[in-house]
């Protein structure tokens, strides 16, 4: 069996899991609907109550879960390959923090209530400004460590400014709205949100997947990659810009969803022979599957309120971090 054939089986398995979870996402909610009933009411001409629930509420939420998870998973895999650091994810270099700051600023200024596109646009603008700030801070031709340090600094600054805005909120209701948005959710999103974020996510995916060969070669080291004709500056710019577009659009729609970009590439890396380039597509599918599963977890009825998507992914990611610590500790004995 060739390496490509060996890697296609996990990809097909992840694709099947994503499709199965997508069907479950259409069926499960306050009103349980059978799969056959769901597909029978997808026709645009059907204006029954079940059709409105499936087509206008659950379908856009399911599509967004796939897009957001794929954005976080593929960006996490690309950043881990670029930075050659298994702990890298979109949040660590400030992209998620910048997008969250932009969205929170829209809440605080009142722009978010002006039009449906203002909140996502502010989030993507925040991600773009974070990337520009990282480039300016790291300087031209910076090495990987300097880029990571610049990203951590921008992420810390974004977090501080987000907290400041939360602290200066004009009334408790505004603070409450910002706080719950930061916890992440895909509830009450429609196809207008899908159409707004999709072009930026597709552009981000295209930039990330264009770096597959360069990421594989970069695993040999920067000097080896340069000697084999890889343009390191262009690869770095493509990965960071692609991550900013995809993750910025995702965060601006869903709020801050942590750990997906970290956990998924880690779990899938052995499946693709530890090749960073081959990890991109499985990580996109794995991120979509994990986000769909987490979003289903938010629909569990609780007496004290509803779970938020960012809380569920954090509950998944925290034990994973503990496992990494225990593995590292065992490796040093």
């Amino acid at each position: 069996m060739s390496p490509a054939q060996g890697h296609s089986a996990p990809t097909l398995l992840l694709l099947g899991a994503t499709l199965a979870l997508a069907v479950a996402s259409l069926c499960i909610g306050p009103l349980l609907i059978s799969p056959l009933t769901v597909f029978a009411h997808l026709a645009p001409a059907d204006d029954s109550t079940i059709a409105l629930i499936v087509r206008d509420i659950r379908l856009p939420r399911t599509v967004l879960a796939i897009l957001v998870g794929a954005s976080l998973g593929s960006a996490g895999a690309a950043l881990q390959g670029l930075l050659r650091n298994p702990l890298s994810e979109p949040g660590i270099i400030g992209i998620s923090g910048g997008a969250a700051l932009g969205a929170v600023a829209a809440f605080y200024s009142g722009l978010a209530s002006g039009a449906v596109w203002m909140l996502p646009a502010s989030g993507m603008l925040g991600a773009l400004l974070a990337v520009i700030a990282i480039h300016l801070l790291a300087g031209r031709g910076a090495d990987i460590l300097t880029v990571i340090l610049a990203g951590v600094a921008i992420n810390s600054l974004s977090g501080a400014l987000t907290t400041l805005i939360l602290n200066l909120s004009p009334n408790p209701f505004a603070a409450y709205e910002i706080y719950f948005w930061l916890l992440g959710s895909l509830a009450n999103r429609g196809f207008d949100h899908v159409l707004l974020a999709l072009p930026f996510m597709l552009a981000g995916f295209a930039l990330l997947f264009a770096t597959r060969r360069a990421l594989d070669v970069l695993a040999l080291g920067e000097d080896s990659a340069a000697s084999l004709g890889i343009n390191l500056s262009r690869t770095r710019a493509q990965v960071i810009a692609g991550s900013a577009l995809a993750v910025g659009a995702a965060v601006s729609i869903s709020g801050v969803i942590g750990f997906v970009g970290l956990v998924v590439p880690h779990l899938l890396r052995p499946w693709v022979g530890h090749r960073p380039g081959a990890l991109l597509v499985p990580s996109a599918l794995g991120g979509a599957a994990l986000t769909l599963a987490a979003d289903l977890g938010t629909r569990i009825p609780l007496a004290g309120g509803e779970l938020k998507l960012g809380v569920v992914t954090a509950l998944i990611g925290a034990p994973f971090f503990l496992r990494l610590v225990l593995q590292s500790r065992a490796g040093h004995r």
Side-chain angles (χ1 to χ4, degrees):
M1 182 182 293
S2 67
Q5 289 173 320
H7 298 159
S8 63
T11 302
L12 291 175
L13 182 63
L14 289 167
L15 180 60
T18 301
L19 292 176
L21 287 165
V23 173
S25 177
L26 294 174
C27 297
I28 297 174
L31 175 65
L32 288 175
I33 307 173
S34 72
L36 290 178
T37 306
V38 164
F39 290 116
H41 288 80
L42 282 176
D46 190 342
D47 58 355
S48 65
T49 302
I50 292 180
L52 294 177
I53 292 173
V54 172
R55 202 175 53 228
D56 296 345
I57 297 176
R58 295 187 186 174
L59 185 58
R61 182 171 181 167
T62 301
V63 172
L64 280 175
I66 293 172
L67 292 175
V68 168
S71 297
L72 297 174
S74 58
L79 287 170
Q80 289 179 15
L82 174 71
L83 303 177
R84 283 171 290 153
N85 186 328
L87 295 180
S88 297
E89 65 151 348
I92 200 171
I93 64 168
I95 296 174
S96 297
L101 176 60
V104 168
F107 273 119
Y108 181 75
S109 63
L111 290 174
S113 58
V116 69
W117 56 269
M118 286 303 295
L119 181 62
S122 301
M124 284 182 275
L125 178 62
L128 177 63
L129 292 177
V131 169
I132 293 174
I134 291 168
H135 271 294
L136 293 176
L137 190 59
R140 180 175 294 181
D143 58 18
I144 297 297
L145 179 60
T146 304
V147 173
I148 293 176
L149 289 175
V152 171
I154 296 301
N155 193 40
S156 300
L157 180 61
S158 299
L161 293 176
T162 300
T163 306
L164 176 64
I165 292 176
L166 191 61
N167 181 234
L168 297 177
S169 294
N171 57 66
F173 176 76
Y176 180 86
E177 189 178 28
I178 293 172
Y179 174 74
F180 275 93
W181 183 86
L182 287 172
L183 293 179
S185 175
L186 292 173
N188 302 318
R189 270 61 166 183
F191 276 113
D192 47 353
H193 292 95
V194 175
L195 294 176
L196 190 62
L198 187 60
F200 298 96
M201 290 179 172
L202 291 179
F205 292 150
L207 284 172
L208 293 176
F209 293 148
T211 64
R212 283 178 295 176
R213 178 178 174 274
L215 292 177
D216 280 341
V217 177
L218 191 57
L220 303 173
E222 291 187 20
D223 293 338
S224 299
S227 67
L228 292 172
I230 299 300
N231 187 325
L232 296 177
S233 297
R234 186 173 64 188
T235 301
R236 186 182 303 128
Q238 283 181 305
V239 170
I240 292 178
S243 300
L245 286 169
V247 176
V251 172
S252 62
I253 292 294
S254 65
V256 180
I257 310 296
F259 291 105
V260 175
L262 172 67
V263 172
V264 172
H266 259 294
L267 293 177
L268 298 179
R269 188 170 288 108
W271 289 21
V272 297
H274 297 270
R275 289 177 51 207
L279 187 60
L280 293 178
V281 173
S283 292
L285 290 171
L290 179 58
T291 306
L292 280 167
D295 187 49
L296 285 171
T298 65
R299 304 179 200 182
I300 298 173
L302 296 175
E306 65 173 25
L307 283 170
K308 292 294 184 182
L309 184 56
V311 176
V312 177
T313 57
L315 289 173
I316 296 172
F320 180 79
F321 253 127
L322 290 174
R323 177 171 166 264
L324 283 180
V325 171
L326 293 176
Q327 282 182 336
S328 176
R329 179 177 160 185
H332 286 86
R333 285 178 179 171

